Amino acid sequence: MKSSFEAARQYFEEAASVIGLSESLRDLLVTPEREIKVQVPIKRDNGQIATFIGYRMQHNSARGPMKGGLRYHHEVNADEVLTLASLMTWKTAVVDIPYGGAKGGISVNTKELSIDELERLTRRFVDEIHDLFGPDKDIPAPDMGTNAQTMAWIMNQYEKFHGFAPACVTGKPVELYGAEGREEATGRGVGILTLAFLRKFGRSIENATIAIQGFGNVGSFTAAYLHQAGARVIAISDVSGGIVNRNGIDVPAALEFAAANKSLTGFPGGEPISNEALLMLDTDVLIPAALGNVLTEQNADSVRAKFIVEAANGPTTPEADAIFRKKEIPVLPDILANAGGVTVSYFEWVQNQQYFRWDLSRVREELEKYMTRAFHRVWTISTDKKVSLRTGAYILAIGRVSRATELGGI
Ligand code: NAD
């Protein structure tokens, strides 16, 4: 199986070839502008010193300040962060928000740290890199292992050096310059585009069957949106396993159960199913919304879904992608499908810059506009050039970034 770094590079090269991008521009666009790796030492609660490694990879700023999440996870490494940073460059370009791409992370098992230790870790990381990010340079956001509280610490620490600057980070608590609708944004965007996707094939959402892997932030809001739109959500899962019910899962009850029990284990509204079997279900739409690399050459042949919507980042390996093309299963790619989160992050930054707060209905309306506009552009490119939606999305993104690079010069 290819690494996520190789997979992203392959998708880039395919699209670059279709548009005849020069070797020199290809070189420039795959080379990150800056790679930051710093030591992040903290004093543990027991008085001992612990040393961590923090990364911020700034991939490309041709279209604006760089944007991307900050991940706290024990498997964080330079290659992975760099790959995710490049995906952010393409994602922000696909939805046409005025940003480039970056990503950061600290290699740490958050379960082993107390809340005070996590706060010290975050503040120390900001001490190390505060000159290298900020509202007009690079704007971090939550990702795996970080949340609105982490963003509040980042803002507070950054402001000790630079003064009032809420736009230095997004995904903040709503009480502290955060945006209404940020929490639901990625799942809502996935839901909006699932409807648009089905409509293109003459399919209505009414009673369309949906299987969703992952019931965290993205999976749960996706399920809620599609359920409300009239779809039949027949399977959901989390790390502990899944639930299937061909008559339709009572999604509001599942949301309540998961909130109360922190897990779907024991949810009474269906039969148990494994995460692997969920991917093979006979369903109209399959939505991986948990981990990367779950659809591979080992299982792609057994997938029976009619459509795939990539809510997770990188759920499909290039080998599986090729199998889906052969089987004519249309795939809505991650850099388009899950761009709702970064789009509402952009709205948060805009509100912070203007000292003006939007209400939830405005956020939702603008989100729908940005997502559907991007979807129709990608659709047109893929139809005109007879390529997959993934290649279409990369063509749109690479075209925009390379044009900005040529116009601005070096
Ligand atoms: P989350 O941590 O809130 O939820 C992850 C879900 O996946 C949980 O239900 C968890 O139990 C489940 N899970 C974990 N390991 C699993 C396994 N081995 N098998 C099956 N399920 C498993 O994370 P999230 O924010 O919902 O992110 C999910 C995916 O979406 C990730 O790939 C992330 O990179 C991507 N994404 C998230 C956002 C966002 O705004 N949150 C934006 C873009 C992309």
Side-chain angles (χ1 to χ4, degrees):
M1 189 166 78
K2 287 192 163 69
S3 70
S4 55
F5 183 74
E6 289 167 325
R9 184 65 190 259
Q10 180 170 332
Y11 294 142
F12 171 86
E13 291 293 346
E14 270 178 39
S17 300
V18 176
I19 57 175
L21 194 71
S22 68
E23 273 304 319
S24 49
L25 262 180
R26 282 188 208 206
D27 264 359
L28 187 129
L29 296 186
V30 297
T31 310
E33 288 182 16
R34 182 187 269 145
E35 300 184 36
I36 302 160
K37 179 179 176 187
V38 291
Q39 179 200 58
V40 193
I42 60 162
K43 199 170 252 185
R44 301 285 309 255
D45 294 340
N46 64 9
Q48 300 274 329
I49 288 172
T51 305
F52 300 91
I53 301 292
Y55 302 92
R56 188 73 189 170
M57 300 299 190
Q58 299 177 328
H59 176 252
N60 189 287
S61 65
R63 300 182 63 261
M66 292 171 276
K67 187 89 190 81
L70 178 66
R71 179 174 286 197
Y72 288 180
H73 192 271
H74 59 280
E75 281 169 4
V76 159
N77 62 65
D79 261 7
E80 182 196 49
V81 180
L82 190 50
T83 304
L84 293 166
S86 69
L87 283 185
M88 290 308 299
T89 299
W90 313 130
K91 204 178 285 189
T92 54
V94 167
V95 283
D96 204 12
I97 52 180
Y99 285 144
K103 199 87 176 187
I106 300 182
S107 178
V108 56
N109 185 348
T110 52
K111 292 199 178 71
E112 289 173 2
L113 296 195
S114 69
I115 188 88
D116 288 346
E117 289 169 337
L118 280 172
E119 177 173 353
R120 289 200 287 277
L121 182 77
T122 303
R123 289 185 185 277
R124 180 60 195 242
F125 186 48
V126 174
D127 289 347
E128 298 300 325
I129 67 165
H130 70 90
D131 270 335
L132 302 171
F133 77 99
D136 301 320
K137 288 183 190 160
D138 172 8
I139 306 122
D143 197 82
M144 276 164 60
T146 59
N147 55 27
Q149 174 62 77
T150 324
M151 302 304 116
W153 292 328
I154 292 178
M155 177 181 114
N156 182 274
Q157 194 67 11
Y158 181 87
E159 289 179 338
K160 288 178 186 167
F161 296 99
H162 302 276
F164 181 68
C168 72
V169 66
T170 61
K172 300 178 293 292
V174 176
E175 304 87 329
L176 203 61
Y177 300 95
E180 296 281 358
R182 172 62 187 91
E183 206 193 345
E184 66 176 23
T186 306
R188 194 174 178 85
V190 172
I192 290 167
L193 289 199
T194 302
L195 265 59
F197 192 34
L198 288 177
R199 231 179 273 130
K200 283 286 187 194
F201 292 89
R203 295 288 310 267
S204 134
I205 193 68
E206 206 55 46
N207 274 323
T209 52
I210 316 275
I212 304 175
Q213 182 184 67
F215 206 61
N217 174 275
V218 180
S220 65
F221 281 107
T222 301
Y225 184 91
L226 291 174
H227 175 76
Q228 213 180 8
R232 187 147 43 101
V233 177
I234 58 163
I236 53 177
S237 74
D238 63 17
V239 66
S240 66
I243 306 288
V244 60
N245 181 345
R246 295 220 63 98
N247 296 321
I249 286 170
D250 180 348
V251 174
L255 290 167
E256 219 171 280
F257 186 92
N261 298 283
K262 305 273 168 266
S263 159
L264 285 170
T265 309
F267 176 64
E271 300 300 314
I273 185 173
S274 71
N275 265 297
E276 184 63 19
L278 182 147
L279 298 172
M280 312 301 145
L281 279 176
D282 183 4
T283 179
D284 291 321
V285 187
L286 171 64
I287 307 185
L291 304 176
N293 295 328
V294 290
L295 296 167
T296 66
E297 62 185 326
Q298 272 76 44
N299 64 13
D301 255 328
S302 313
V303 168
R304 288 184 289 162
K306 297 184 186 66
F307 303 93
I308 296 171
V309 176
E310 294 184 339
N313 279 320
T316 311
T317 66
E319 295 84 358
D321 203 49
I323 294 171
F324 295 145
R325 285 186 212 184
K326 208 159 70 209
K327 290 176 64 170
E328 296 185 359
I329 301 177
V331 178
L332 194 67
D334 49 6
I335 59 168
L336 171 60
N338 70 28
V342 73
T343 302
V344 174
S345 272
Y346 164 57
F347 300 157
E348 179 177 334
W349 179 81
V350 167
Q351 292 170 67
N352 293 158
Q353 302 272 37
Q354 298 184 338
Y355 309 109
F356 182 77
R357 176 164 280 182
W358 302 2
D359 61 19
L360 181 59
S361 61
R362 178 163 181 199
V363 171
R364 287 179 167 177
E365 196 181 308
E366 293 284 346
L367 173 66
E368 179 138 9
K369 197 157 77 190
Y370 273 76
M371 294 300 287
T372 47
R373 189 173 54 199
F375 173 78
H376 291 297
R377 286 288 297 136
V378 169
W379 184 270
T380 304
I381 292 170
S382 93
T383 323
D384 287 354
K385 299 208 177 292
K386 298 187 175 40
V387 294
S388 68
L389 289 166
R390 188 186 314 280
T391 304
Y394 272 86
I395 288 175
L396 178 61
I398 294 169
R400 283 179 170 155
V401 178
S402 56
R403 182 90 184 111
T405 307
E406 283 170 338
L407 286 169
I410 51 168

